Amino acid sequence: MAPSPVPAPGRPTTPPSGPAAGHTSGAGIAFPRATRPAELPAVHNALLCVALPALAVCAEHGQLTGEGPEGVYEAGRRLLSRCVLRVAGREPVALQGRMATADRALFLGALRVPGDAGPDPALTVERTRSADGTERITLRSAAPRPLRLPVEVSLGTDLADLGAVASGRTGPELAASVHGTGLRWTGDDGRSVAVTADPPPMDSLAAAGVLRWEAELAPGATFTLRLRVRGESPARPTASPGAGSGRPGGHLLAEARAEGDDPRPGELLRVSVEDLRALLQRDPAHPADVYLAAGVPWRCGPVTAEALWAARMALPLGTRLAATTLRALGRTQISAGGPESGRLQGPLRDAGPHLPPRCTGIEATLAFPVVLAEARRWGLPAADLEELLPVAERCLDWLRRTAGRNGFVPDPGPAGPWRAETQAHTHRAALLGADLLDGCGRPGGDALRDVARTLRERFRREFWLDDPAGGRPAVALAPDGRAWPQLGGWAAHLLDTGLLDGGRYAPGLLDRTETEQVARLLGTPALDSGWGLRGLGTKEPGHNPFGHRAGAVRVHDTAVAVAGLAAAGHEKEAASLLRGLLDAAEAFTHRLPEMYAGEQRTTGGRPVPHPAACRPAAVAAAGAVHALLALAGVRPDAPGRSVSVHPLASAPLGAIRLSGLVVAGEPFAVRVGRLGLGMVEEAAEGLQLGV
């Protein structure tokens, strides 16, 4: 199973069960409770090796000291908390720690050996650690004489659950026993873990948890030892993977590449695809269905709305992930009769300092038909479409009934409030849902377009606030009709309208003048930090540069803004946000966290990490793909056997070539020249270039 989710600031937790699991809102509808933020250990400086369900959290020095969240985990259980190397009784001087791939970290250290006359170290120590805890340690001698050095590795574990690690409630280390060529620990619940070594140690000291070797090194020679960590449980007494475990295949996501005048898009795309693959996990009850964990290390639980958004933004890498994610989420749909029939289930999530928590189930319900409709445009196989269409129809039925009460969809309950972002999701779902039903020969499209028309008219009348600066959209309407005027990155979702047939974008909630004003606002220093889009403007009450929805830069919102601004023709603002995102990615070694502080960019400055942010995170990695694809403006229509490209005419990053994409199930490549002209270089046979 995947690691259990851990409460984090501004994030949902697994819905509790039982009659007291929810709170009642409006007409007696129960929603899962929102939990209070927890104090999480800082992970912003950690190197996280990820290949879910395996995970290793390492400090840059490479030693696992047992402090904080350090350790090797499998399925949310810490298998190893301590792994400290000493050579000749001393720890190596740490020189460098870095990620080699998404699932593997490299560490380099050095030691002066007895008899060294000068300051130069004669011994280097190279360590490679993988997500599953497999480790290779190599000592390399540059000494002019043979060396004989004692080497020891001190090991320990508490077999703690990730939730206990996050809350600081771990127990003491367990007592070890000698086991084969290493050590073994067993917990009170029958779970156990063994560490084996190659070559076998000369001494195994169970009481101290220490393995010892004598390394003999000729000048220029090396000594290498390998450690392997293997967990066992009463339900899985051997190391063989269970029916619902194991790594999903990488074939779910294509090997996309970017090449051009600016090298940063290529590196960001490479790392983002690696991270997406590392975050793939299986549905324990349905192993054939794979979805993305929301983020590591704190959010590796059941499928979430973020997994659906990430699958949508990763559609250029193929449609299989979208299909399996939709299947997994579809099983959470409420099937009983009543007003909530057809809605997907999901917990509440913090919505910032001004609004009550929002319902991620409503968010997922509105996203479901959108992702299915757009996956069809990218080339979703007919069998997947036929299987998932009934779930989408029930989502759309819920939308039609809920919006029919007063034209808006409330969030979280019937009593409101009515959020602008939710109305944007509703409007897009209605239009793309109508297009989906029409394309599949199903009834109901006209009724959904009527819902969208009514919503559009009411939104422009009631959500738009006029002021001398040109006006702004309200973030929400209270049940008493009062408008909340706070402006933030959420406004980017008003520009995200979605793909219809022929590669057209659906009309938005705003008219042309209002769209231009929102684009201008998104480009102001109050929202554009220079590193990306803030969740809440700097001039708004309650602004906090570290607030999840109160001022931090959220990569998802920034990517949505880049794509929406580009599609609406506001290239200057889109290019500014994209450059800021690329600069931030470079500072984070191209592994973007889900969010980082919304501090204003200054000359020579760097983006400030959020100490509890997940990194990697699904919406951040997929958001990078989404933002970079805006450079080419690829708009597929696989059912219509056409594809069009609408690149940014200003070519803000110079020439760029995007290859390894997938349209209509076949490889797709596009080139954008320095003059902003796009050219399709590879496409499925018979796919026509649209306008």
Side-chain angles (χ1 to χ4, degrees):
M1 290 182 63
S4 300
V6 177
R11 305 177 204 167
T13 58
T14 304
S17 58
H23 74 268
T24 301
S25 176
I29 297 170
F31 292 86
R33 293 182 185 275
T35 59
R36 295 186 62 180
E39 184 68 29
L40 293 172
V43 292
H44 60 284
N45 283 329
L47 301 181
L48 282 80
C49 308
V50 185
L52 294 180
L55 165 68
V57 182
C58 320
E60 288 189 357
H61 51 63
Q63 305 275 41
L64 297 181
T65 65
E67 297 294 325
E70 289 180 18
V72 174
Y73 297 80
E74 182 186 45
R77 179 75 59 170
R78 182 154 66 181
L79 301 185
L80 191 65
S81 58
R82 188 163 50 85
C83 182
V84 177
L85 171 69
R86 293 183 179 89
V87 180
R90 293 179 296 149
E91 295 187 29
V93 176
L95 301 176
Q96 185 183 74
R98 63 181 178 86
M99 299 300 302
T101 58
D103 66 341
R104 186 163 50 92
L106 303 179
F107 307 95
L108 184 64
L111 271 176
R112 294 177 69 248
V113 298
D116 281 353
D120 302 334
L123 194 71
T124 56
V125 181
E126 301 169 3
R127 302 177 73 170
T128 302
R129 183 177 295 124
S130 297
D132 63 0
T134 301
E135 183 167 350
R136 186 181 67 194
I137 302 172
T138 300
L139 310 183
R140 192 179 306 275
S141 174
R145 63 192 184 284
L147 299 175
R148 184 181 180 89
L149 301 170
V151 177
E152 70 175 38
V153 176
S154 177
L155 302 165
T157 185
D158 50 16
L159 283 176
D161 181 83
L162 181 58
V165 174
S167 60
R169 294 182 288 103
T170 59
E173 283 192 356
L174 301 173
S177 61
V178 176
H179 176 74
T181 61
L183 299 173
R184 179 189 182 100
W185 299 262
T186 301
D188 294 338
D189 60 358
R191 294 176 183 268
S192 65
V193 62
V195 175
T196 55
D198 180 25
M202 295 181 64
D203 295 302
S204 299
L205 307 179
V210 171
L211 304 179
R212 287 178 175 168
W213 297 260
E214 287 288 335
E216 297 184 3
L217 294 110
T222 62
F223 171 81
T224 299
L225 63 91
R226 294 173 176 84
L227 303 176
R228 182 186 177 199
V229 182
R230 183 178 63 183
E232 299 176 355
S233 68
R236 184 167 61 91
T238 70
S240 302
S245 62
R247 289 290 303 139
H251 59 276
L252 280 171
L253 297 167
E255 193 75 51
R257 295 173 298 279
E259 308 163 277
D261 293 339
D262 190 329
R264 296 174 301 169
E267 190 64 11
L268 177 57
L269 188 57
R270 180 189 68 79
V271 173
S272 296
V273 173
E274 272 191 9
D275 282 344
L276 288 171
R277 288 176 169 174
L279 289 167
L280 292 172
Q281 58 185 10
R282 297 186 184 277
D283 185 327
H286 302 83
D289 288 347
V290 176
Y291 55 85
L292 289 163
V296 168
W298 311 124
R299 304 186 63 210
C300 301
V303 63
T304 61
E306 285 97 329
L308 193 54
W309 289 127
R312 180 196 182 203
M313 293 189 291
L315 281 171
L317 308 179
T319 61
R320 290 199 62 191
L321 176 60
T324 57
T325 304
L326 287 165
R327 268 200 296 271
L329 263 176
R331 284 190 282 272
T332 72
Q333 192 170 49
I334 299 171
S335 57
E340 293 304 286
S341 177
R343 181 175 68 78
L344 302 181
Q345 299 180 59
L348 297 179
R349 177 171 57 200
D350 177 66
H354 302 292
L355 295 173
R358 65 181 303 178
C359 180
T360 58
I362 291 175
E363 185 179 356
T365 305
L366 298 173
F368 193 103
V370 168
V371 177
L372 183 60
E374 292 194 320
R376 176 174 175 263
R377 293 289 162 210
W378 282 93
L380 183 72
D384 290 326
L385 178 63
E386 183 178 353
E387 178 186 359
L388 295 165
L389 187 59
V391 183
E393 288 182 298
R394 291 191 289 271
C395 290
L396 293 169
D397 286 342
W398 175 88
L399 181 161
R400 188 167 51 243
R401 293 194 311 271
T402 305
R405 295 169 188 162
N406 69 353
F408 293 143
V409 169
D411 186 359
W418 294 271
R419 305 170 195 268
E421 188 175 337
T422 300
Q423 309 322 310
H425 296 334
T426 302
H427 186 259
R428 182 179 58 236
L431 290 179
L432 270 64
D435 189 62
L436 175 67
L437 296 179
D438 290 350
C440 295
R442 308 292 272 264
D446 289 342
L448 287 168
R449 278 183 281 269
D450 287 341
V451 169
R453 186 181 307 110
T454 300
L455 175 59
R456 193 160 53 240
E457 292 170 354
R458 285 205 63 189
F459 187 90
R460 293 174 183 175
R461 184 170 64 249
E462 299 183 35
F463 271 83
W464 190 261
L465 307 176
D466 292 318
D467 61 35
R472 62 165 64 187
V475 65
L477 298 181
D480 60 6
R482 177 172 47 92
W484 278 295
Q486 292 80 17
L487 187 65
W490 61 267
H493 294 268
L494 299 176
L495 306 179
D496 179 15
T497 56
L499 282 174
L500 298 173
D501 65 311
R504 299 177 298 116
Y505 277 114
L509 273 176
L510 306 177
D511 62 25
R512 181 174 179 178
T513 301
E514 292 163 347
T515 298
E516 290 177 352
Q517 175 65 359
V518 168
R520 188 190 69 79
L521 292 170
L522 293 176
T524 60
L527 288 181
D528 183 354
S529 70
W531 303 114
L533 195 62
R534 294 185 177 94
L536 186 66
T538 56
K539 298 180 181 179
E540 306 299 334
H543 171 80
N544 173 6
F546 288 93
H548 180 244
R549 292 269 180 169
V553 172
R554 299 178 68 239
V555 174
H556 180 201
D557 288 345
T558 303
V560 168
V562 170
L565 288 165
H570 298 282
E571 294 193 10
K572 178 182 176 182
E573 292 82 1
S576 175
L577 288 171
L578 179 58
R579 289 193 190 98
L581 192 64
L582 284 168
D583 290 340
E586 193 170 27
F588 287 113
T589 62
H590 302 286
R591 173 178 267 188
L592 281 165
E594 60 177 324
M595 61 178 173
Y596 42 93
E599 300 283 2
Q600 186 61 44
R601 182 173 183 172
T602 58
T603 303
R606 293 168 60 87
V608 178
H610 190 294
C614 288
R615 178 171 174 257
V619 290
V625 177
H626 192 58
L628 291 174
L629 261 291
L631 290 165
V634 180
R635 303 183 190 177
D637 183 14
R641 300 301 299 168
S642 71
V643 63
S644 59
V645 293
H646 301 263
L648 296 183
S650 58
L653 303 182
I656 187 170
R657 182 178 187 268
L658 299 166
S659 60
L661 308 175
V662 181
V663 176
E666 298 293 336
F668 182 84
V670 59
R671 181 185 297 274
V672 179
R674 294 186 181 94
L675 299 179
L677 299 177
M679 177 185 300
V680 174
E681 294 191 336
E682 183 180 16
E685 185 176 354
L687 202 64
Q688 301 296 314
L689 185 61
V691 179

